[in-house]
Amino acid sequence: LTVWALLGGPRQQKSGPIALGGPITLADQYGHGGGEALMGKFRLITFGYTFCPDVCLTILRDMSAAVDLLGVNGEKVVPVFITIDPARDTAERMKGYAAHFHPRMLAFTGTAEEIAATAKDFSIYYARSQVETGPDDYLMDHTALIYLMGPDGRFITHFPHNASPEDMTATMKKHF
């Protein structure tokens, strides 16, 4: 009772939509700003890097499969890959990389500062790994989630890195 008085009494918690994400102002693999191609579309968004030896490949494969499993409704969804390694992930590299996964995948890159701001909007952790693999060959530690964002850009839900394409598809169908 005394503690409550010191803290200003019991506090009411507010619930509401999660403020996660924001407009993507980075350039895609074609040099276009992100906003226009994403307007009015659902987005499956993940962060990673093209030199990732495992989890990024799996996430992008499964995201792409989920979009394809939607059939004609897949046109409503844009798979999005945002690099956390702008030093190596140039627009040209991102272009070739994204083409391996889905023809409509948009792969975004920018300056280190732009990437940091976008990652912050999505509460993404990333850092160069302490594991030494070579002077120009390094790993990146990073959050491995997939975000489902609505056509209005608002956060709907997220999936773990090991979510199946079928689970992502089932969830997306609930929001169309």
Side-chain angles (χ1 to χ4, degrees):
L1 189 62
T2 306
V3 173
W4 276 8
L6 292 173
L7 296 174
R11 296 196 174 140
Q12 293 183 354
Q13 292 184 352
K14 297 179 182 177
S15 69
I18 296 173
L20 190 69
I24 296 175
T25 57
L26 303 167
D28 67 21
Q29 69 266 41
Y30 306 107
H32 305 120
E36 290 185 35
L38 300 175
M39 296 298 290
K41 301 278 188 179
F42 286 89
R43 303 134 211 201
L44 277 177
I45 300 176
T46 194
F47 289 74
Y49 65 113
T50 63
F51 288 85
C52 184
D54 49 23
V55 74
C56 294
L57 300 165
T58 303
I59 287 173
L60 294 174
R61 178 200 66 201
D62 292 347
M63 279 175 44
S64 298
V67 170
D68 289 343
L69 284 171
L70 289 167
V72 295
N73 281 328
E75 294 295 321
K76 298 177 183 178
V77 182
V78 177
V80 175
F81 178 60
I82 300 173
T83 187
I84 46 93
D85 186 14
R88 294 184 293 181
D89 288 344
T90 63
E92 194 59 36
R93 179 160 179 84
M94 296 290 275
K95 185 177 184 179
Y97 191 74
H100 290 291
F101 295 100
H102 200 276
R104 290 186 300 102
M105 181 172 286
L106 293 179
F108 292 95
T109 190
T111 65
E113 294 78 17
E114 292 168 333
I115 298 295
T118 302
K120 183 178 179 185
D121 288 344
F122 285 86
S123 295
I124 295 294
Y125 163 80
Y126 69 97
R128 187 169 168 162
S129 174
Q130 297 301 308
V131 175
E132 290 295 324
T133 57
D136 295 322
D137 183 25
Y138 52 88
L139 300 175
M140 298 287 291
D141 297 328
H142 62 93
T143 304
L145 292 174
I146 304 161
Y147 296 97
L148 175 61
M149 309 298 283
D152 59 359
R154 291 180 193 247
F155 172 80
I156 295 173
T157 192
H158 71 278
F159 304 100
H161 69 86
N162 59 351
S164 73
E166 293 80 10
D167 288 344
M168 286 187 268
T169 299
T171 299
M172 286 187 284
K173 284 181 178 178
K174 294 176 186 176
H175 297 282
F176 289 161

